[in-house]
């Protein structure tokens, strides 16, 4: 028998002895024909398991999960200690009407002169239209939802002719969009819009049910075994606010990837640089917002799938606390790492969507005991004082472990601006066992994804999945029950470390990703690609919010030397969405670098 490594209990770990170790991933970069051959090998009896075991040993997965004694009991889903009430906030009623919560959210926002922005000089720096700009245009008769719908449909027709395909939407029905827009236009004519979200164009990721569209998870077949009879809870709440659903947005197949590559329907391109990836798995939602075609979108985030594409596309993405939003009606509704959250071009628009969709499921209310949801009152003079009181935790060695120094430099510039304006305090922290955290997340999300797919894959449907997905599933199938339990033991350890950190700081700050948007290899369009080095760079700072259920947000803070967007990530205490939203709004106001107009951008409000 091999020698076992025995971990000391988490509360006995010497934090002063923690040394940062850069992540090293041992795996081949496979694309095109080599990927096809590799998948055939790993799915072949006897040979496949040997290859997978070798790769697991190279990456110390076997050593960590099978040759280590972990003293903590398992934490099968996030468990949170009670939290203090956030300051200068407005509480929201979970069981109330979504449109009422949106109205309260609107009152939290600072004053904004939409009329002046509408009449603004065309020579001013590029800016996205906010939801309040659309509401002003509709109420003033400067535009109406039906006019905007026709412009949107025209762009969708343009995208359908791109070669190779680069779809933003997988399912789209022009007549359904026209029907919703006509109903919204009529409400404005009658002077009875439902909310500020009435007539706002929103895309829904293809793993969230939105009737009458199918939910395929970007596969070619999953809609055949998963029928959509009604909206997901989050979609239903938005529909009650009068939004216009444009269709089901493209994504990395089944959410099992970080680039957004999809040979089934075509790979969504990054609006800032169409030869590059958007990031994933919520590739379509981020790209359709960044291109100006939708004010917002809903995505899912089990391993950075909202924050990664938001960062790479230069928009804002919110990952809520686990259990804050209901997962009912999504393809990933039984896991312990996934949430549904909003993507938008501004923090205030994220706040409006978050207010609409929030609401825990009955089961989560019992097991998680969520605190009262609330929003930061940005219209209050006290809000600046609250920002000034916040303490940031920064693990400098981790923060600087990026593929391009532009990333950490731009993030540091914003933090320094915050310090100069508000006098916030930055505390140096360490985060123990980052490698173990990534391992626990990999096994958790992999085992939970496999659990939902295995009945169908055993019927032969698995062969219809992309080669990239099949590579991931081959790894996931190798995880044992004891591997899963070991990962949940690690989850408890990592939760302890983070709760100790949050006794000293209010927010942990990191770059969102360790690299900006990667190039798409030309031979990846038809067959796909697997590049775990890229995945590691994209997920370097992402995992803790998913494994531990913590809230996090990605905010654009500038561009690298190639003009590619860079995101800063804020990680908060459990249920502390108001804190990270307040800080994100302050960062957005401070951003010294003007927004850059994407290469693919469409002004569907004015029609320019």
């Amino acid at each position: 028998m091999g020698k076992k490594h025995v971990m000391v209990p988490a509360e006995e770990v010497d934090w002063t002895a923690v040394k940062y170790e850069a992540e090293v991933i041992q795996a081949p970069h496979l694309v095109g024909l080599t990927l096809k051959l590799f998948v055939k090998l790993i799915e072949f009896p006897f040979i496949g398991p040997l290859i997978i075991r070798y790769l697991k040993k190279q990456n110390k997965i076997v050593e960590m999960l099978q040759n280590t004694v972990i003293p903590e009991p398992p934490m099968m889903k996030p468990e949170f200690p009670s939290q203090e009430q956030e300051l200068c906030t407005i509480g929201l009623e979970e069981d109330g009407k979504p449109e009422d919560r949106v109205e309260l959210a609107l009152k939290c926002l600072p004053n904004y002169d939409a009329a002046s922005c509408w009449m603004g000089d065309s020579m001013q720096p590029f800016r996205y239209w906010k939801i309040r700009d659309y509401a002003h245009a509709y109420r003033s008769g400067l535009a109406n939802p039906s006019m905007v719908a026709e412009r949107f449909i025209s762009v969708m027709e343009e995208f359908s002719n791109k070669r190779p395909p680069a779809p933003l939407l997988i399912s789209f029905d022009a007549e359904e969009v026209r029907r919703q827009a006509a109903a919204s236009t009529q409400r404005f004519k009658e002077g009875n819009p439902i909310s500020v979200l009435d007539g706002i164009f929103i895309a829904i990721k293809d793993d969230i049910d939105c009737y009458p569209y199918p939910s395929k998870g970007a596969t070619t077949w999953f809609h055949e075994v998963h029928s959509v009879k009604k909206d997901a809870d989050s979609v239903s709440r938005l529909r009650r606010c009068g939004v216009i659903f444009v269709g089901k947005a493209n994504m990395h197949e089944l959410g099992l990837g970080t680039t957004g590559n999809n040979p089934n329907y075509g790979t969504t391109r990054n609006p800032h640089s169409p030869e590059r990836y958007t990031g994933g798995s919520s590739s379509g939602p981020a790209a359709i917002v960044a291109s100006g075609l939708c004010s917002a979108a809903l995505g899912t985030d089990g391993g950075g799938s909202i924050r990664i594409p938001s960062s790479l596309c230069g928009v804002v993405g919110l990952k809520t606390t686990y259990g804050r939003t209901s997962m009912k009606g999504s393809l990933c509704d039984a896991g312990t790492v996934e949430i549904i959250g909003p993507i938008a071009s501004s923090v205030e628009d994220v706040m409006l969507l978050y207010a609409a969709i929030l609401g825990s499921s009955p089961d989560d209310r019992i097991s998680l005991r969520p605190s009262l949801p609330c929003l930061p009152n940005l219209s209050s003079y006290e809000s600046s004082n609250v920002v000034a009181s916040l303490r940031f935790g920064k693990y400098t060695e981790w923060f600087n472990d990026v593929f391009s120094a532009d990333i950490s430099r731009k993030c540091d510039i914003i933090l320094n601006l915050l310090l100069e304006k508000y006098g916030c305090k930055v505390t140096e922290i360490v985060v123990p066992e980052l490698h173990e955290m990534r391992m626990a997340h990999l096994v958790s999300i992999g085992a939970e994804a496999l659990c939902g797919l295995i009945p169908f894959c055993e019927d032969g449907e698995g062969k219809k999945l992309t080669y990239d997905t099949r590579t991931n599933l081959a790894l996931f199938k190798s995880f044992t029950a004891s591997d899963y339990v070991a990962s949940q033991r690690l989850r408890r350890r990592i939760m302890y470390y983070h709760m100790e950190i949050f006794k000293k700081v209010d927010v942990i700050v990191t770059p969102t990703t360790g690299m900006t948007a990667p190039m798409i290899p030309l031979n990846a369009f038809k067959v796909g690609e697997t590049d775990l080095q890229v995945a590691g760079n994209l997920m370097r700072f992402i995992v803790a919010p998913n494994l531990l259920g913590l809230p996090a947000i990605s905010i654009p803070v500038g561009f690298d030397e190639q003009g590619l967007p860079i995101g800063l990530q804020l990680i908060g205490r459990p249920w502390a969405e108001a804190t990270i939203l307040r800080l994100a709004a302050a960062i957005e106001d401070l951003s010294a670098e003007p927004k850059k107009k994407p290469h693919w951008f469409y002004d569907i409000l004015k029609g320019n």
Side-chain angles (χ1 to χ4, degrees):
M1 291 181 65
K3 187 176 179 181
K4 295 285 185 182
H5 168 59
V6 180
M7 290 179 135
V8 300
E11 61 268 22
E12 297 177 16
V13 168
D14 180 4
W15 291 52
T16 63
V18 173
K19 304 294 183 186
Y20 181 74
E21 295 182 11
E23 184 180 21
V24 178
I25 297 176
Q26 302 287 345
H29 174 203
L30 302 169
V31 63
L33 180 60
T34 56
L35 177 58
K36 294 175 70 172
L37 293 174
F38 181 77
V39 170
K40 289 186 180 296
L41 284 175
I42 61 173
E43 290 181 344
F44 198 80
F46 305 114
I47 295 175
L50 289 175
I51 295 173
I52 294 294
R53 184 164 181 84
Y54 172 77
L55 290 172
K56 288 169 69 176
K57 289 189 73 173
Q58 288 291 102
N59 290 281
K60 300 182 179 180
I61 296 177
V62 174
E63 175 187 330
M64 184 67 256
L65 298 177
Q66 298 177 10
N67 297 332
T68 301
V69 178
I70 308 167
E72 284 72 25
M75 180 185 286
M76 306 309 288
K77 65 190 297 186
E79 299 171 8
F80 306 127
S82 60
Q83 302 294 315
E84 294 180 2
Q85 179 67 39
E86 296 171 278
L87 300 175
C88 191
T89 58
I90 293 180
L92 302 174
E93 178 55 56
E94 280 191 282
D95 295 324
K97 296 179 180 179
E99 56 269 38
D100 291 344
R101 292 197 297 268
V102 170
E103 183 64 28
L104 280 174
L106 196 58
K107 293 177 181 178
C108 290
L109 302 180
N111 290 331
Y112 178 67
D113 188 352
S116 294
C117 290
W118 180 270
M119 299 299 293
D121 187 347
S122 61
M123 299 303 291
Q124 289 180 340
F126 169 76
R127 60 183 295 276
Y128 286 101
W129 294 118
K130 296 182 178 182
I131 286 172
R132 286 196 278 181
D133 290 312
Y134 277 83
H136 165 74
Y138 294 162
R139 284 167 169 78
S140 304
L142 298 168
N144 64 57
S146 290
M147 291 167 54
V148 176
E150 292 305 320
R151 293 166 187 157
F152 181 90
I153 292 166
S154 176
V155 176
M156 288 302 101
E157 291 172 352
E158 175 187 328
F159 265 83
S160 68
N161 294 321
K162 289 187 182 293
R163 292 293 178 269
L168 296 167
L169 299 175
I170 287 175
S171 298
F172 168 67
D173 183 340
E175 291 309 311
E176 173 64 16
V177 173
R178 287 188 175 107
R179 183 190 67 78
Q180 295 176 76
S184 179
T185 298
Q186 185 61 33
R187 289 193 292 271
F188 279 100
K189 282 183 179 179
E190 296 170 355
N192 295 311
I194 299 172
S195 75
V196 73
L197 295 181
D198 204 336
I200 299 302
F201 287 66
I202 291 179
I204 304 297
K205 188 178 179 182
D206 197 38
D207 60 354
I208 305 171
D209 290 348
C210 180
Y211 187 82
Y213 296 104
S215 290
K216 304 176 183 178
T219 68
T220 58
W221 58 269
F222 202 81
H223 58 291
E224 298 170 3
V225 298
H226 174 85
S227 60
V228 176
K229 298 178 181 178
K230 62 178 183 178
D231 291 334
D233 283 354
S234 55
V235 173
S236 174
R237 291 164 185 166
L238 284 173
R239 197 182 292 276
R240 287 179 59 179
C241 295
V243 307
I244 296 170
F245 297 112
V246 300
K248 301 300 291 296
N250 202 356
M251 59 181 284
H252 206 114
E253 187 181 60
L254 295 173
L256 299 179
T258 58
T259 61
N261 181 281
N262 191 322
N264 293 330
Y265 299 97
T267 296
T268 301
R269 314 299 180 76
N270 193 312
H272 287 271
S273 181
E275 70 276 9
R276 294 178 182 271
Y277 283 121
T278 57
S281 63
S282 303
S283 51
I288 206 166
V289 171
S291 62
L293 290 166
C294 285
S295 296
L298 286 190
T300 54
D301 191 319
S305 292
I306 285 174
R307 290 160 290 152
I308 291 171
S310 294
S311 177
L312 269 54
C313 291
V315 292
V316 182
L318 175 66
K319 187 260 167 207
T320 58
T321 304
Y322 175 78
R324 178 62 91 191
T325 54
S326 170
M327 293 297 293
K328 186 177 180 181
S330 70
L331 302 188
C332 44
D333 61 356
T336 67
V337 297
E338 196 112 13
I339 62 92
I340 292 173
I343 296 173
S345 60
S346 66
V347 174
E348 73 166 59
D349 288 355
V350 160
M351 285 176 58
L352 293 172
L353 253 72
Y354 168 62
I357 69 171
L358 67 80
S360 303
S361 69
D363 288 345
D364 284 339
R365 292 190 197 187
I366 294 171
S367 61
L368 296 174
R369 294 169 297 162
S371 61
L372 176 72
C374 57
L375 289 174
N377 188 358
L378 303 180
S379 63
S380 169
Y381 70 92
E382 295 178 4
S383 188
S384 293
N385 294 334
V386 176
V387 173
S389 70
L390 294 177
R391 302 163 298 170
F392 306 154
K394 179 185 176 186
Y395 189 1
T396 299
E397 287 185 273
W398 188 31
F399 192 99
N400 291 334
D401 185 11
V402 290
F403 190 75
S404 165
D406 288 344
I407 297 173
S408 53
R409 183 171 59 84
K410 287 295 173 70
C411 290
D412 268 330
I413 288 172
I414 286 294
L415 291 180
N416 289 332
L417 288 173
L418 275 173
L419 267 59
E420 290 173 11
K421 179 171 181 178
Y422 295 100
C424 309
K425 181 181 178 183
V426 176
T427 300
E428 182 65 27
I429 62 171
V430 296
V431 183
E433 300 176 12
L434 287 171
H435 176 67
E436 288 81 357
M437 178 172 68
R438 297 183 185 109
M439 200 73 61
H441 173 262
L442 173 65
V443 176
S444 298
I445 193 172
E448 290 164 9
L450 186 65
C451 184
L453 289 171
I454 202 70
F456 311 112
C457 293
E458 293 300 314
D459 289 340
E461 301 291 357
K463 297 294 183 183
K464 298 179 183 178
L465 296 170
T466 63
Y467 291 104
D468 175 30
T469 302
R470 288 161 65 180
T471 301
N472 288 324
L473 293 181
L475 172 62
F476 299 161
K477 287 178 182 178
S478 74
F479 296 143
T480 65
S482 62
D483 291 340
Y484 187 77
V485 172
S487 296
Q488 308 321 302
R489 291 176 181 271
L490 288 172
R491 193 200 304 244
R492 188 173 296 278
R493 289 177 70 87
I494 307 301
M495 181 70 84
Y496 172 82
Y497 297 142
H498 280 73
M499 293 305 102
E500 288 297 299
I501 291 169
F502 281 122
K503 290 178 181 178
K504 301 175 182 177
V505 304
D506 301 296
V507 175
I508 298 171
V509 293
T510 72
T512 306
T513 60
M515 68 184 302
T516 50
M519 294 287 292
I520 308 174
L522 291 177
N523 52 349
F525 287 110
K526 288 187 177 181
V527 177
E529 176 188 22
T530 179
D531 189 342
L532 295 185
Q533 304 289 344
V534 165
N537 283 326
L538 292 176
M539 294 184 69
R540 179 150 301 133
F541 308 102
I542 286 299
V543 171
N546 294 110
L547 181 67
L548 307 181
L550 304 174
I553 191 168
S554 177
I555 321 101
V557 292
F559 304 88
D560 68 6
E561 290 183 350
Q562 296 172 292
L564 301 172
I566 293 169
L568 176 72
Q569 178 179 232
L570 308 174
I571 304 172
R573 292 190 180 96
W575 314 117
E577 283 85 2
T579 295
I580 60 173
L581 285 166
R582 187 192 311 278
L583 185 54
I587 289 170
E588 190 175 62
D589 289 342
L590 277 176
S591 189
E593 196 167 340
K595 287 188 180 293
K596 174 175 165 285
K597 185 176 180 179
H599 180 77
W600 285 353
F601 178 77
Y602 304 87
D603 182 351
I604 62 169
L605 181 56
K606 276 194 171 182
N608 296 334

